[in-house]
Amino acid sequence: MNKTLSRRAFAGGAGAALFSVITSRKGFSAPAQDQRVAVHATAEIGTISPLLHGSFAEHLGSCVYGGLWVGKDSSVPNVEGFRKQAVDWLKELGIPVLRWPGGCFADDYHWRDGIGPADKRPKTVNIHWGNYTEDNSFGTHEFIRLCRLIGAEPYLAGNVGSGTPQELRDWVEYCNYPSGSTLSDERAANGSPEPFNVRYWGVGNENWGCGGNMTPEYYADLYRRFRTYVRDFGGTRPFMIACGPNRNDVNWTRRFFDALSARGGPGLYPHGWAMHFYSNGRDVPTKFTVENMREQLSSFAELENAIVVQRGLLDSYVRAQTAPGRPRPQVHLLVDEWGVWDRMVPEEEKTYGRLWMQSTMRSAVAAGMGLNVFHRQADKLYMCNIAQTVNVLHSVILAHRNNCVRTSSYYAFLLQKPHRSKTALRVETNDTSPLGISVSASRKDNELVLTFCNPKHDVEMRVDCALVGASAVSAKAQLLSHPDYNACNTFENPNVIVPKDHPVSVEGSRVRLNLPPISMSTAIVRLA
Ligand code: AHR
């Protein structure tokens, strides 16, 4: 949460009303509103792990087949079968971690279907996403290769819903055992003598829903059983991620940990607890009403609250399980799937595949607000993955046949990239309502990064940002903005929404810039 601004932060600043609504200024059609922000340069929250900028690719619609993977014989320019343009852009974005193969798909996926000679792999029906058949030409080796090409850490989601503990255990051995076992030799024979060293392993996905419609107690039993057989097969200690709640479902979390604690205790606690939080929208992406946009963007306050509440719950279980004098077990919180989920356009789904969704200026601001939340809660989070990477839902790239475009949300991630590995700082704003200015700040040495999002469609924000405990020497900024919040980048017009240099001024401990309606900006400030 943005903290409400204290008077002290602005001592010496205008002590006048926090809001001063000013009528139209030259060059802007929207009225301007003064926004006071304070960044506490020495109030450190924690390191912003790059993993908070992760991504998720499911066998769904054209995310993998036709999107990331076009096949080696395709007329689409490709590297070893991967769409070259997507590889280049994902590399530029530097996605730190990529989750695969689902989603709902994960609990109906059997990894052995996706290894060995491609022409011998079975054809399977994707029951969750339209009953289409896939030839399994994209399997474990292809996924790992894609991760290596784009520089992402692989995260494999195991099958609990329709799989067995042995299947998951064997997948881990196949990926991670160096050599000499039948499974590791099979991996070598399939072209990868070196172990994949996969660290992140999901134990099912949404097992309260598409992953088996389980009760938390039943899932806890299964989690404990699957977990028992997954081992460190040679140097890479698996980081086990259990299926967490839908949004802030405290009932799922409590009942899972109550059941798990009743038998097995902290030794079997998961390393990660994966919450899913979508920001649903009532309109199709390019036809949002103001009211529905406001409702969707307001959900980021709920996301932030969910993070705080779920982290608190995890802490209470961990505390209760810590024996005197023993180290505390750690259960990290993940937001495993997040992003906007708008209404689909049936014709677009027919042409481009299930859950194909455009990304507009509104979606970019949503991405910016989500990342601001994660930065402000950097001490409570381990990993967050946007859903999804290409074509599906809140994607950063759209691709179809020979066309490929970076969405507005791609640029929102790019603008947030400078925060990675810096230390998040406490921020305060004068307006802490869900649609008030959204801010995150981070620092490393004398570089300060500030990201501001204006979620309001009808107000230009004049930002006066006080640096408490630091003073600025210089600053440069970039802006992502468009007068029409329903505007988007298309295959025909790919550069409708792209970052542009933006004026920012510094004066002692003050940084000032303007934010047009529905926009986001990142300023890099050099400190004295
Ligand atoms: O991202 C699309 C779907 O949303 C995933 O398959 C599932 O986990 C979630 O419900």
Side-chain angles (χ1 to χ4, degrees), residues 147-418:
C147 288
R148 304 295 190 239
L149 283 171
I150 64 175
E153 185 87 8
Y155 166 4
L156 293 173
N159 178 346
V160 170
S162 69
T164 61
Q166 181 180 3
E167 187 179 11
L168 181 58
R169 173 235 172 271
D170 284 355
W171 201 9
V172 181
E173 181 183 328
Y174 182 87
C175 289
N176 290 355
Y177 198 69
S179 67
S181 77
T182 302
L183 281 168
S184 59
D185 290 350
E186 189 179 4
R187 182 195 66 236
N190 286 332
S192 302
E194 289 303 315
F196 294 144
N197 295 326
V198 177
R199 176 152 189 250
Y200 298 113
W201 293 91
V203 184
N205 169 80
E206 295 194 354
N207 301 92
W208 35 261
C210 64
N213 288 304
M214 302 173 191
T215 63
E217 291 78 16
Y218 182 66
Y219 174 67
D221 277 347
L222 285 186
Y223 173 81
R224 191 188 292 115
R225 185 163 167 233
F226 275 65
R227 167 82 187 84
T228 302
Y229 299 98
V230 172
R231 298 296 166 91
D232 174 347
F233 278 101
T236 305
R237 185 169 170 244
F239 183 104
M240 304 306 294
I241 299 163
C243 161
N246 184 23
R247 298 171 73 99
N248 193 15
D249 182 354
V250 292
N251 191 43
W252 176 265
T253 302
R254 282 206 179 107
R255 285 173 56 188
F256 173 87
F257 279 97
D258 283 343
L260 199 66
S261 310
R263 182 167 184 82
L268 286 181
Y269 268 22
H271 304 111
W273 183 239
M275 167 167 82
H276 287 185
F277 196 108
Y278 283 99
S279 299
N280 298 107
R282 294 179 197 271
D283 291 322
V284 300
T286 56
K287 295 200 174 99
F288 256 69
T289 64
V290 165
E291 194 189 334
N292 290 341
M293 172 170 64
R294 288 171 62 90
E295 181 188 55
Q296 186 178 60
L297 294 181
S298 296
S299 72
F300 288 95
E302 295 168 47
L303 168 61
E304 190 154 18
N305 180 55
I307 292 166
V308 173
V309 171
Q310 292 290 329
R311 185 62 261 167
L313 272 176
L314 297 179
D315 287 343
S316 69
Y317 281 97
V318 161
R319 258 196 313 270
Q321 288 289 333
T322 308
R326 300 293 304 274
R328 241 174 218 185
Q330 277 209 314
V331 183
H332 296 282
L333 181 63
L334 288 77
V335 185
D336 220 20
E337 294 182 20
W338 71 278
V340 294
W341 188 320
D342 305 334
R343 260 182 55 214
M344 303 300 144
V345 181
E347 303 78 57
E348 287 176 348
E349 278 198 295
K350 243 180 241 150
T351 310
Y352 303 123
R354 290 295 294 275
L355 302 195
W356 191 90
M357 220 175 80
Q358 246 302 354
S359 186
T360 64
M361 194 57 231
R362 164 193 51 82
S363 327
V365 169
M369 290 173 79
L371 293 171
N372 276 349
V373 166
F374 302 152
H375 298 165
R376 291 198 296 267
Q377 303 300 337
D379 56 336
K380 302 182 186 65
L381 290 166
Y382 187 86
M383 182 195 289
C384 305
N385 301 317
I386 188 87
Q388 297 193 6
T389 319
V390 176
N391 285 335
V392 169
L393 296 176
H394 201 162
S395 63
V396 293
I397 288 176
L398 295 175
H400 182 60
R401 301 202 176 121
N402 273 295
N403 297 310
C404 198
V405 64
R406 282 171 284 196
T407 67
S408 55
S409 298
Y410 178 99
Y411 293 111
F413 271 79
L414 201 60
L415 251 60
Q416 294 273 23
K417 197 174 164 185

